[in-house]
Amino acid sequence: MPDPVLQVTDLVKRFGDFAAVNGVSFEIGKGQILGLLGANGAGKTTVINMMLGLITPSEGRIQVFGKDLAAHRIEILRRMNFCSTYTQLPGNLLVSQNLKVFGLLYRVPDLERRIDEVLELLEISHLKKRVSGHLSAGESTRLNLCKALLNRPELLLLDEPTASLDPDIADKVRKAVKRVREEDGATMLYTSHNMRDVEEVCDQVIFMHKGKILHFGTPAEIVAHFQEKSLEDVFIRVARGGDLETAKLVD
Amino acid sequence: MNPHVIQALVLRYLFLYTRTPVRMVELLFWPLVHLLVWGYLTVFLQKNTGDSFPYAITFLIGAVILWDVLFRAQQGVAIFFLEDVWSRNLLNIFAAPVTTFDYLGATYVAGLLRAAVTSTILGVLSVILYSFNVLELRWYLVPFVLNLLVFGWALGMISTALIVRWGPAAETLAWATPFFIQPFAAVFYPVDGLPVVMQAFSKALPCSYIFEGMRDVLKDGDLPMRDLVIASGLNVVYLAAAGVLFVSVLKTARDKGLLTKFAAQ
Ligand SMILES: Nc1ncnc2c1ncn2[C@@H]1O[C@H](COP(=O)(O)OP(=O)(O)O)[C@@H](O)[C@H]1O
Ligand SMILES: [Mg+2]
């Protein structure tokens, strides 16, 4: 594997007595896209939030670009970015104003040009002077993604970027994500409920269940391992708890 | 503190106000109402008490203007945070390369801008309507305003810390915090107008010395230097304590996942 961009070791997050993330370790090599799968509540978003420093781990270690996240948070955040279904850009600002603010926050050089580039990449150049709050769900997701790409992040965290998108727009988003990886060599962590996304975009996949990693491999390996027909079937089986022997196996 | 980051955060704030001019109404409505109420009360008292009132009663108008400096500074800080909560932008900001000091710096600037806008307008209006010129306070105006700004920032940080800790249910604190202290702050009446027990509380607030000082200056043209020194000293203590509270609440928020809970609401 190429040099790991992200290394997570024995990560645990407890909220009170409840362990939302319970001993997770993995790493992502440069230029790789790792899919994080699992039913609602599996702990995917909590993992991502810990990577962003929004939540402090109860135990374990996160290293990004070979540095400890806790000790070098700001320096690391400058080189990464994220896009999540749980956030929006301020609705009363114009698209161009929002991108300008975040471009300055991330100290993006030649900002005006970069704004045009990312809008172009996600095919929303025509929305530049629109009010952000007036965009449709698909448009606003793509705007979030524009914000996430502004600083040419070396590590990009995408939390359900295609949720609530129609198949056409979801396809455009997948293509943009792949292009960014090819052109910038960006490394990504990608969560999704859309198995099509995962099969098309991710090199490796982690299956999470109740805060633990059930299985790790390429999409094809996972399907073979669970002896199912498709990733979707694996997902359903795992979500319904029909995997307990496997869980014990991995433990 | 990184000036680029602060500039970006303040720019967002300015965009917000230029994009939605109706927000200007909120910025001006209450100070205007206060100015009119206290201004006409002053006019009424002036007509009906003759010379019997102990000193220039126009201090009520000065009080309205100076109180507003404190109030707006506090609001600038507290509303800055809430704007991001309301627009579901909080995580975008807190997951960006923004240090706590950058963030606080930006909220101070926001408070300063709010205070500057309203107090300038109130200052001009009070000359026109009541022939009261706040510049009568001469150079004292500088330490007065600085002290009120700093205390406003400290109160703003305390309000925000409580909102982070207790969630959106505590949002009203953003508006209410300054009014908790107003009765003891000697804004419209002197400290010795309060019962003795409350006077102790009053003496622990830096702004009490400023409002007392304002009345002294309007009456005698001078004030005890000691008061300014005490006010500034207290302010340093409040600002530091509020900063420590804010930082420790943010740490708790990261431990308990409070910031991300906000985003999910
Ligand atoms: N801030 C929090 N406080 C308490 N529990 C939380 C918090 N955030 C997440 N959880 C819980 O942790 C579990 C994992 O949540 P999450 O990471 O959002 O899952 P996913 O993204 O896989 O759907 C859920 O049961 C959720 O209720
Ligand atoms: Mg999630």
Side-chain angles (χ1 to χ4, degrees), chain A residues 13-16 18-21 36-49 55 86 159-160 191 193 208 211, chain B residues 253 255-262:
Chain A
K13 182 63 202 180
R14 280 183 290 267
F15 296 110
F18 170 72
V21 173
L36 204 49
L37 300 193
N40 287 324
K44 308 178 295 290
T45 298
T46 306
V47 167
I48 289 206
N49 286 336
I55 293 181
Y86 305 104
D159 199 0
E160 298 185 34
T191 82
H193 288 150
M208 276 186 80
Chain B
D255 285 339
K256 293 184 185 281
L258 300 178
L259 292 174
T260 55
K261 254 192 201 158
F262 258 117

Short mmCIF file of all heavy atoms in Angstrom, two decimals, chain A residues 13-16 18-21 36-49 55 86 159-160 191 193 208 211, chain B residues 253 255-262, ligand 1:
data_model
loop_
_atom_site.label_atom_id
_atom_site.label_comp_id
_atom_site.label_asym_id
_atom_site.label_seq_id
_atom_site.Cartn_x
_atom_site.Cartn_y
_atom_site.Cartn_z
N LYS A 13 -15.33 5.71 20.69
CA LYS A 13 -16.06 6.88 21.18
C LYS A 13 -17.25 6.42 21.98
O LYS A 13 -18.13 5.73 21.47
CB LYS A 13 -16.54 7.78 20.03
CG LYS A 13 -17.25 9.03 20.53
CD LYS A 13 -16.30 9.91 21.35
CE LYS A 13 -17.02 10.84 22.29
NZ LYS A 13 -16.08 11.66 23.08
N ARG A 14 -17.23 6.81 23.25
CA ARG A 14 -18.37 6.50 24.12
C ARG A 14 -19.15 7.77 24.41
O ARG A 14 -18.56 8.82 24.70
CB ARG A 14 -17.87 5.89 25.43
CG ARG A 14 -17.53 4.42 25.35
CD ARG A 14 -17.12 3.87 26.70
NE ARG A 14 -15.82 4.40 27.10
CZ ARG A 14 -14.66 3.79 26.85
NH1 ARG A 14 -14.64 2.62 26.25
NH2 ARG A 14 -13.53 4.33 27.22
N PHE A 15 -20.45 7.69 24.31
CA PHE A 15 -21.32 8.76 24.80
C PHE A 15 -21.98 8.19 26.04
O PHE A 15 -22.86 7.36 25.94
CB PHE A 15 -22.38 9.14 23.75
CG PHE A 15 -21.78 9.73 22.49
CD1 PHE A 15 -21.82 9.02 21.29
CD2 PHE A 15 -21.20 10.99 22.50
CE1 PHE A 15 -21.29 9.57 20.13
CE2 PHE A 15 -20.67 11.54 21.34
CZ PHE A 15 -20.71 10.83 20.15
N GLY A 16 -21.51 8.60 27.21
CA GLY A 16 -21.97 7.96 28.44
C GLY A 16 -21.51 6.51 28.42
O GLY A 16 -20.34 6.24 28.18
N PHE A 18 -22.66 4.28 26.29
CA PHE A 18 -22.88 3.72 24.97
C PHE A 18 -21.68 3.94 24.05
O PHE A 18 -21.22 5.07 23.90
CB PHE A 18 -24.15 4.37 24.39
CG PHE A 18 -24.37 4.05 22.95
CD1 PHE A 18 -24.78 2.79 22.56
CD2 PHE A 18 -24.18 5.02 21.97
CE1 PHE A 18 -24.97 2.48 21.23
CE2 PHE A 18 -24.39 4.73 20.64
CZ PHE A 18 -24.79 3.46 20.27
N ALA A 19 -21.18 2.88 23.48
CA ALA A 19 -20.03 3.01 22.58
C ALA A 19 -20.51 3.13 21.13
O ALA A 19 -20.95 2.15 20.53
CB ALA A 19 -19.10 1.82 22.73
N ALA A 20 -20.48 4.34 20.60
CA ALA A 20 -20.92 4.57 19.22
C ALA A 20 -19.88 4.03 18.25
O ALA A 20 -20.21 3.54 17.17
CB ALA A 20 -21.15 6.05 18.99
N VAL A 21 -18.61 4.14 18.63
CA VAL A 21 -17.51 3.58 17.85
C VAL A 21 -16.69 2.77 18.83
O VAL A 21 -16.33 3.26 19.90
CB VAL A 21 -16.66 4.69 17.20
CG1 VAL A 21 -15.43 4.10 16.53
CG2 VAL A 21 -17.50 5.48 16.20
N LEU A 36 -17.20 3.63 3.61
CA LEU A 36 -17.57 3.25 4.97
C LEU A 36 -19.06 2.93 4.91
O LEU A 36 -19.88 3.82 4.70
CB LEU A 36 -17.29 4.44 5.89
CG LEU A 36 -17.05 4.24 7.36
CD1 LEU A 36 -16.02 3.16 7.61
CD2 LEU A 36 -16.59 5.55 7.99
N LEU A 37 -19.39 1.65 5.07
CA LEU A 37 -20.78 1.23 4.95
C LEU A 37 -21.31 0.77 6.28
O LEU A 37 -20.55 0.39 7.16
CB LEU A 37 -20.90 0.06 3.97
CG LEU A 37 -20.44 0.27 2.55
CD1 LEU A 37 -20.95 -0.88 1.70
CD2 LEU A 37 -20.99 1.58 2.03
N GLY A 38 -22.61 0.77 6.37
CA GLY A 38 -23.23 0.26 7.59
C GLY A 38 -24.60 0.90 7.75
O GLY A 38 -24.86 1.97 7.21
N ALA A 39 -25.47 0.20 8.49
CA ALA A 39 -26.83 0.68 8.69
C ALA A 39 -26.81 2.00 9.46
O ALA A 39 -25.79 2.39 10.00
CB ALA A 39 -27.62 -0.36 9.48
N ASN A 40 -27.95 2.67 9.51
CA ASN A 40 -28.07 3.87 10.32
C ASN A 40 -27.65 3.56 11.75
O ASN A 40 -28.06 2.54 12.30
CB ASN A 40 -29.52 4.37 10.34
CG ASN A 40 -29.90 4.98 9.01
OD1 ASN A 40 -29.09 5.63 8.36
ND2 ASN A 40 -31.13 4.76 8.60
N GLY A 41 -26.85 4.43 12.31
CA GLY A 41 -26.43 4.23 13.70
C GLY A 41 -25.21 3.35 13.85
O GLY A 41 -24.78 3.07 14.95
N ALA A 42 -24.62 2.91 12.74
CA ALA A 42 -23.45 2.03 12.82
C ALA A 42 -22.23 2.75 13.38
O ALA A 42 -21.31 2.12 13.89
CB ALA A 42 -23.14 1.46 11.45
N GLY A 43 -22.22 4.09 13.26
CA GLY A 43 -21.08 4.86 13.80
C GLY A 43 -20.25 5.55 12.74
O GLY A 43 -19.19 6.11 13.05
N LYS A 44 -20.72 5.56 11.50
CA LYS A 44 -19.94 6.14 10.40
C LYS A 44 -19.71 7.64 10.58
O LYS A 44 -18.58 8.13 10.50
CB LYS A 44 -20.67 5.91 9.06
CG LYS A 44 -21.06 4.47 8.80
CD LYS A 44 -21.81 4.31 7.50
CE LYS A 44 -23.17 5.01 7.44
NZ LYS A 44 -24.21 4.43 8.28
N THR A 45 -20.78 8.35 10.86
CA THR A 45 -20.67 9.81 11.01
C THR A 45 -19.80 10.16 12.21
O THR A 45 -19.01 11.11 12.17
CB THR A 45 -22.07 10.44 11.13
OG1 THR A 45 -22.78 10.17 9.93
CG2 THR A 45 -21.99 11.94 11.33
N THR A 46 -19.91 9.38 13.26
CA THR A 46 -19.08 9.63 14.45
C THR A 46 -17.60 9.48 14.09
O THR A 46 -16.76 10.28 14.53
CB THR A 46 -19.48 8.68 15.59
OG1 THR A 46 -20.90 8.82 15.81
CG2 THR A 46 -18.76 9.02 16.87
N VAL A 47 -17.27 8.48 13.29
CA VAL A 47 -15.87 8.31 12.85
C VAL A 47 -15.43 9.57 12.09
O VAL A 47 -14.37 10.14 12.36
CB VAL A 47 -15.72 7.06 11.95
CG1 VAL A 47 -14.36 7.06 11.25
CG2 VAL A 47 -15.88 5.80 12.79
N ILE A 48 -16.25 10.01 11.16
CA ILE A 48 -15.90 11.20 10.36
C ILE A 48 -15.76 12.43 11.24
O ILE A 48 -14.82 13.22 11.10
CB ILE A 48 -16.95 11.40 9.24
CG1 ILE A 48 -16.76 10.28 8.22
CG2 ILE A 48 -16.84 12.80 8.63
CD1 ILE A 48 -17.20 10.55 6.85
N ASN A 49 -16.68 12.60 12.18
CA ASN A 49 -16.61 13.77 13.06
C ASN A 49 -15.35 13.76 13.93
O ASN A 49 -14.81 14.82 14.24
CB ASN A 49 -17.86 13.85 13.94
CG ASN A 49 -19.07 14.31 13.16
OD1 ASN A 49 -18.94 14.98 12.13
ND2 ASN A 49 -20.26 13.97 13.64
N ILE A 55 -15.44 15.90 17.34
CA ILE A 55 -15.67 15.03 18.50
C ILE A 55 -14.32 14.48 18.91
O ILE A 55 -13.52 14.08 18.06
CB ILE A 55 -16.63 13.87 18.12
CG1 ILE A 55 -18.03 14.42 17.84
CG2 ILE A 55 -16.67 12.82 19.22
CD1 ILE A 55 -19.05 13.34 17.48
N TYR A 86 -25.34 16.70 6.73
CA TYR A 86 -25.84 17.37 7.93
C TYR A 86 -25.53 18.87 7.99
O TYR A 86 -25.90 19.53 8.94
CB TYR A 86 -25.25 16.70 9.18
CG TYR A 86 -25.51 15.21 9.22
CD1 TYR A 86 -24.51 14.30 8.91
CD2 TYR A 86 -26.78 14.74 9.51
CE1 TYR A 86 -24.77 12.94 8.91
CE2 TYR A 86 -27.04 13.38 9.51
CZ TYR A 86 -26.03 12.48 9.21
OH TYR A 86 -26.29 11.14 9.21
N ASP A 159 -19.62 12.51 3.70
CA ASP A 159 -20.61 11.79 4.49
C ASP A 159 -21.94 11.81 3.74
O ASP A 159 -22.64 12.82 3.71
CB ASP A 159 -20.75 12.44 5.89
CG ASP A 159 -21.41 11.49 6.88
OD1 ASP A 159 -21.76 10.36 6.49
OD2 ASP A 159 -21.56 11.88 8.05
N GLU A 160 -22.26 10.69 3.14
CA GLU A 160 -23.48 10.54 2.33
C GLU A 160 -23.67 11.67 1.32
O GLU A 160 -24.70 12.34 1.32
CB GLU A 160 -24.70 10.46 3.24
CG GLU A 160 -24.63 9.24 4.16
CD GLU A 160 -25.90 9.10 4.98
OE1 GLU A 160 -26.97 9.42 4.47
OE2 GLU A 160 -25.80 8.65 6.13
N THR A 191 -18.88 7.76 2.89
CA THR A 191 -19.97 6.95 3.44
C THR A 191 -21.19 7.09 2.54
O THR A 191 -21.41 8.15 1.97
CB THR A 191 -20.40 7.36 4.86
OG1 THR A 191 -21.29 8.48 4.77
CG2 THR A 191 -19.21 7.73 5.72
N HIS A 193 -25.29 5.12 1.58
CA HIS A 193 -26.24 4.01 1.65
C HIS A 193 -26.51 3.49 0.25
O HIS A 193 -27.32 2.60 0.07
CB HIS A 193 -27.56 4.48 2.27
CG HIS A 193 -27.45 4.74 3.72
ND1 HIS A 193 -28.21 5.67 4.37
CD2 HIS A 193 -26.65 4.19 4.65
CE1 HIS A 193 -27.87 5.67 5.64
NE2 HIS A 193 -26.92 4.80 5.83
N MET A 208 -19.30 -1.51 8.70
CA MET A 208 -19.41 -1.26 10.14
C MET A 208 -20.75 -1.73 10.66
O MET A 208 -21.77 -1.64 9.97
CB MET A 208 -19.27 0.23 10.45
CG MET A 208 -17.84 0.71 10.55
SD MET A 208 -17.78 2.43 11.08
CE MET A 208 -18.02 2.26 12.84
N GLY A 211 -20.75 0.03 15.73
CA GLY A 211 -19.49 0.62 16.19
C GLY A 211 -18.25 -0.20 15.91
O GLY A 211 -17.14 0.22 16.24
N ALA B 253 -17.93 20.17 24.83
CA ALA B 253 -18.78 19.96 23.65
C ALA B 253 -18.16 18.93 22.73
O ALA B 253 -18.85 18.08 22.17
CB ALA B 253 -18.97 21.29 22.92
N ASP B 255 -16.13 16.55 23.68
CA ASP B 255 -16.21 15.25 24.36
C ASP B 255 -17.60 14.64 24.25
O ASP B 255 -17.75 13.46 24.00
CB ASP B 255 -15.86 15.41 25.85
CG ASP B 255 -14.36 15.58 26.07
OD1 ASP B 255 -13.59 15.20 25.17
OD2 ASP B 255 -13.97 16.11 27.13
N LYS B 256 -18.61 15.45 24.43
CA LYS B 256 -19.98 14.93 24.47
C LYS B 256 -20.66 14.95 23.12
O LYS B 256 -21.83 14.58 23.00
CB LYS B 256 -20.82 15.75 25.45
CG LYS B 256 -20.40 15.61 26.90
CD LYS B 256 -21.36 16.39 27.79
CE LYS B 256 -20.95 16.40 29.24
NZ LYS B 256 -21.28 15.17 29.96
N GLY B 257 -19.97 15.46 22.10
CA GLY B 257 -20.59 15.53 20.77
C GLY B 257 -21.69 16.57 20.69
O GLY B 257 -22.66 16.40 19.95
N LEU B 258 -21.57 17.66 21.46
CA LEU B 258 -22.64 18.67 21.48
C LEU B 258 -22.71 19.47 20.18
O LEU B 258 -23.79 19.83 19.73
CB LEU B 258 -22.45 19.62 22.67
CG LEU B 258 -22.45 18.99 24.05
CD1 LEU B 258 -22.19 20.04 25.13
CD2 LEU B 258 -23.78 18.30 24.32
N LEU B 259 -21.54 19.75 19.60
CA LEU B 259 -21.54 20.55 18.37
C LEU B 259 -22.29 19.82 17.26
O LEU B 259 -23.07 20.40 16.52
CB LEU B 259 -20.11 20.83 17.91
CG LEU B 259 -19.28 21.75 18.80
CD1 LEU B 259 -17.84 21.81 18.30
CD2 LEU B 259 -19.88 23.15 18.82
N THR B 260 -22.04 18.50 17.17
CA THR B 260 -22.68 17.74 16.10
C THR B 260 -24.16 17.54 16.40
O THR B 260 -24.96 17.40 15.49
CB THR B 260 -21.98 16.39 15.90
OG1 THR B 260 -21.95 15.71 17.14
CG2 THR B 260 -20.56 16.59 15.43
N LYS B 261 -24.51 17.54 17.67
CA LYS B 261 -25.94 17.46 18.02
C LYS B 261 -26.67 18.70 17.54
O LYS B 261 -27.78 18.61 17.02
CB LYS B 261 -26.09 17.36 19.54
CG LYS B 261 -26.47 15.99 20.01
CD LYS B 261 -26.87 16.06 21.47
CE LYS B 261 -26.77 14.70 22.10
NZ LYS B 261 -26.64 14.79 23.56
N PHE B 262 -26.04 19.85 17.72
CA PHE B 262 -26.59 21.11 17.22
C PHE B 262 -26.93 20.98 15.75
O PHE B 262 -27.98 21.39 15.28
CB PHE B 262 -25.55 22.23 17.34
CG PHE B 262 -25.78 23.14 18.49
CD1 PHE B 262 -24.85 23.24 19.50
CD2 PHE B 262 -26.91 23.93 18.54
CE1 PHE B 262 -25.04 24.08 20.56
CE2 PHE B 262 -27.11 24.78 19.60
CZ PHE B 262 -26.18 24.86 20.62
N1 LIG C 1 -23.51 13.48 20.21
C1 LIG C 1 -24.03 12.30 20.48
N2 LIG C 1 -24.48 12.00 21.70
C2 LIG C 1 -24.99 10.78 21.98
N3 LIG C 1 -25.11 9.78 21.07
C3 LIG C 1 -24.68 10.03 19.83
C4 LIG C 1 -24.12 11.28 19.45
N4 LIG C 1 -23.78 11.22 18.14
C5 LIG C 1 -24.11 9.98 17.72
N5 LIG C 1 -24.65 9.26 18.73
C6 LIG C 1 -25.11 7.86 18.63
O1 LIG C 1 -24.06 7.09 18.12
C7 LIG C 1 -24.56 6.12 17.21
C8 LIG C 1 -23.85 6.23 15.87
O2 LIG C 1 -24.31 7.38 15.20
P1 LIG C 1 -23.72 7.85 13.81
O3 LIG C 1 -22.26 7.88 13.89
O4 LIG C 1 -24.41 9.08 13.44
O5 LIG C 1 -24.18 6.65 12.86
P2 LIG C 1 -24.26 6.56 11.28
O6 LIG C 1 -23.62 7.77 10.69
O7 LIG C 1 -23.54 5.30 10.95
O8 LIG C 1 -25.70 6.46 10.93
C9 LIG C 1 -26.05 6.34 17.12
O9 LIG C 1 -26.70 5.41 17.95
C10 LIG C 1 -26.23 7.74 17.64
O10 LIG C 1 -27.49 7.88 18.27
#
